[in-house]
Amino acid sequence: MTAHDHRHSLYTVDQVRALDRRAIDELGIPAYELMQRAATAALVCLRQHWPQARRIAVYCGPGNNGGDGFLLGALAREAGIHAEVFALGESRGDDAIRARREFEHGGGTVVAWNEAVALPLVDVHVDALYGTGLQRALAPEVAVLVGRVHATGAPVLALDVPSGVNANTGDVPGEAVQAQVTVTFIAPKRGLYTGLAPGYVGTVQLESLGLPETLWQGARADAELMRPQTLPPRPRQSHKGNNGHVLAIGGDHGTAGAIRLCSEAALRGGAGLVSVATRAEHLIALNSARPELMAHEVNGPQALEALLPRATVLAVGPGLGQGAWGHALWLTALDAQLPLVLDADGLNLLAHEPRGFSGPVVMTPHPGEAARLLGCDTRTIAIDRYAAVRELAKRYGAVVVLKGAGSLVADPQGRVAVCPWGNPGMATGGMGDLLTGIVAALMAQGCDAWQAATLGVSLHARAGDLAAKHGGERGLIATDLLEPLRLLLNGRDA
């Protein structure tokens, strides 16, 4: 496995511990040397991001994460940086104790933290409280410390993982450190990239501590971080029939916007033809706004059945509703056994009438829809998004996109890809409708369900980032993504 590969591989906490143990046992690198390397990498990271920093405060917990902090404090002092170190209790474990003594023998003073202690004015705070082992909420007294650190307004560098963030799942069960930069060691932890975690980790910088590539040979990763990709160029002789026909089904009374966004995104996603099966009241608006769409009045299953033979893939759910009309179209679409993208009410109806799939199907739930599909609450989804998306894919026999910060894509065999792009401006109505259309367009052009879902999610998120780059995040709307999407599909990113 190359360096490039393992830097895009995401690991569970247990898998990283196994790599750590392998470095010690098989490569003969002492654990304390790994701690020294982590501290050195942290100092380099500190200087890269805050080259003018002259005063830092380091907050050390009792374990090995605290040991990293003590050694960083010692190195900082040697480098002429004033380092004040605060300890949360006594150090535990031989290496952590040794690191603390090394800091003290170098002339450093360790201040025992309690709520009466005032925090210093510094350029950077360093979080070395808890590492990957903490999977519960911070204790109240630690939460007080974290709150005071934030109140100073100075930036925070987190060592390995911001304390209070679950490095395995991305959950944040209570107060947590909000870092501007997280320097993580040996291998990327999967929890840093999804759920609530992206709001706490800031910029994630991986430091593999100079370990040889042989460490990763044969090591199994839990998930993969998506990389930019696009479709190959079209042959010169292409015609619309080569690029598939998407049939978008939805738009009950009052929801013309949802089905228009979906179908227009399918056009911008490169489908050769896009038809819309919707209510009669929407036809004038659709034909006027986007005449390239072929909008049809569909008042029931028979009218829909007449459109199915020409379709390559179905996009079902945006604005569909859960009434008699939507339910009848939903049943007809699923019974057609065509490649399918299910979203919105297409998923809500599935939660009421579960069925598995054997053909190419992509489901795109947000956490609320995922909870309904699994018969749980949204908190259960948030606690472990990896487990949730894998269970959805296995239960329904489909490729599943669990939307949100750090969207996850899973297949029924347990493979998971994680999206590193996207921004808060995309938390607005209609964004999911766009994604449905984009994924359907990619399936129409020949992508299998996994390829369409991963490429669709990445294009959607990257288009959102491009749109925000040129106009800002606040006030971003779904249609702002359509032109950047076109650029990205054609291999351009500016």
Side-chain angles (χ1 to χ4, degrees):
M1 184 177 288
T2 66
H4 182 68
D5 287 333
H6 77 68
R7 285 177 173 266
H8 285 85
S9 298
L10 303 181
Y11 297 83
T12 65
V13 168
D14 285 344
Q15 288 170 335
V16 176
R17 287 175 180 158
L19 288 168
D20 186 81
R21 179 51 53 189
R22 186 176 177 184
I24 296 168
D25 294 343
E26 297 181 23
L27 302 181
I29 302 172
Y32 192 72
E33 182 178 330
L34 290 176
M35 188 177 283
Q36 290 173 315
R37 293 186 186 188
T40 300
L43 180 60
V44 171
C45 181
L46 178 74
R47 286 174 148 174
Q48 286 174 341
H49 291 276
W50 299 281
Q52 303 305 316
R54 294 294 176 264
R55 297 178 63 89
I56 66 172
V58 187
Y59 305 93
C60 298
N64 284 347
N65 194 246
D68 295 341
F70 285 119
L71 292 181
L72 170 61
L75 290 173
R77 283 173 52 83
E78 291 173 7
I81 299 172
H82 182 80
E84 298 189 50
V85 175
F86 298 82
L88 204 66
E90 294 299 319
S91 298
R92 297 193 299 265
D94 292 344
D95 292 328
I97 292 170
R98 181 179 173 185
R100 183 169 183 160
R101 288 174 178 166
E102 184 168 330
F103 174 74
E104 291 174 327
H105 290 164
T109 300
V110 177
V111 178
W113 160 255
N114 63 67
E115 295 185 23
V117 173
L119 298 189
L121 293 175
V122 295
D123 300 308
V124 181
H125 297 284
V126 179
D127 166 28
L129 293 169
Y130 295 102
T132 58
L134 187 72
Q135 299 189 13
R136 53 176 170 77
L138 295 176
E141 63 274 16
V142 184
V144 169
L145 170 58
V146 170
R148 291 188 183 176
V149 168
H150 292 159
T152 69
V156 178
L157 170 66
L159 304 190
D160 215 17
V161 55
S163 298
V165 172
N166 188 317
N168 213 37
T169 67
D171 186 33
V172 181
E175 181 69 66
V177 169
Q178 287 192 300
Q180 279 62 50
V181 178
T182 297
V183 55
T184 198
F185 305 123
I186 297 181
K189 289 78 181 173
R190 66 175 196 172
L192 302 182
Y193 297 90
T194 194
L196 294 174
Y200 292 83
V201 298
T203 299
V204 178
Q205 183 166 316
L206 173 65
E207 294 294 340
S208 55
L209 307 187
L211 296 171
E213 293 301 318
T214 54
L215 180 69
W216 286 273
Q217 291 176 0
R220 185 179 65 87
D222 183 78
E224 288 291 322
L225 204 61
M226 294 178 190
R227 282 167 270 191
Q229 56 179 321
T230 188
L231 295 173
R234 285 181 175 171
R236 179 70 174 170
Q237 69 275 20
S238 288
H239 59 82
K240 61 187 177 184
N242 297 136
N243 300 312
H245 188 161
V246 173
L247 174 57
I249 303 169
D252 202 353
H253 297 302
T255 58
I259 200 62
R260 183 199 159 177
L261 288 169
C262 171
S263 53
E264 187 166 351
L267 279 175
R268 290 299 189 190
L273 295 163
V274 179
S275 294
V276 186
T278 190
R279 291 283 194 179
E281 67 198 62
H282 304 323
L283 298 186
I284 293 175
L286 286 169
N287 287 327
S288 299
R290 184 55 65 203
E292 297 90 345
L293 296 171
M294 297 177 288
H296 301 268
E297 174 190 355
V298 174
N299 55 15
Q302 286 185 321
L304 179 59
E305 287 171 355
L307 301 176
L308 293 172
R310 298 179 60 210
T312 308
V313 59
L314 307 180
V316 181
L320 185 66
Q322 299 180 57
W325 180 81
H327 182 257
L329 299 189
W330 177 81
L331 283 174
T332 303
L334 267 59
D335 289 342
Q337 299 295 305
L338 285 166
L340 180 68
V341 183
L342 270 182
D343 185 33
D345 284 325
L347 298 171
N348 293 326
L349 289 165
L350 184 64
H352 292 301
E353 298 180 36
R355 62 163 74 186
F357 300 102
S358 57
V361 175
V362 177
M363 298 163 52
T364 60
H366 58 55
E369 292 158 347
R372 288 188 282 276
L373 287 163
L374 291 178
C376 62
D377 57 24
T378 55
R379 178 63 190 142
T380 301
I381 302 296
I383 286 172
D384 192 341
R385 285 168 54 85
Y386 288 93
V389 74
R390 284 190 165 111
E391 177 59 26
L392 282 166
K394 180 181 177 182
R395 182 176 300 188
Y396 291 95
V399 171
V400 176
V401 178
L402 180 55
K403 295 183 289 195
S407 291
L408 305 180
V409 182
D411 70 9
Q413 290 71 48
R415 176 170 47 166
V416 174
V418 184
C419 180
W421 305 288
N423 63 81
M426 297 175 70
T428 60
M431 290 290 178
D433 302 319
L434 288 189
L435 178 62
T436 300
I438 294 168
V439 174
L442 294 170
M443 292 178 76
Q445 292 169 85
C447 292
D448 63 28
W450 174 262
Q451 293 167 333
T454 52
L455 178 54
V457 167
S458 68
L459 287 169
H460 180 259
R462 291 170 64 206
D465 288 344
L466 271 182
K469 177 182 177 182
H470 294 297
E473 293 177 358
R474 200 177 298 273
L476 190 68
I477 61 174
T479 51
D480 291 338
L481 273 61
L482 293 175
E483 188 56 33
L485 169 65
R486 185 181 174 197
L487 293 173
L488 291 167
L489 269 172
N490 289 283
R492 298 163 59 190
D493 59 4

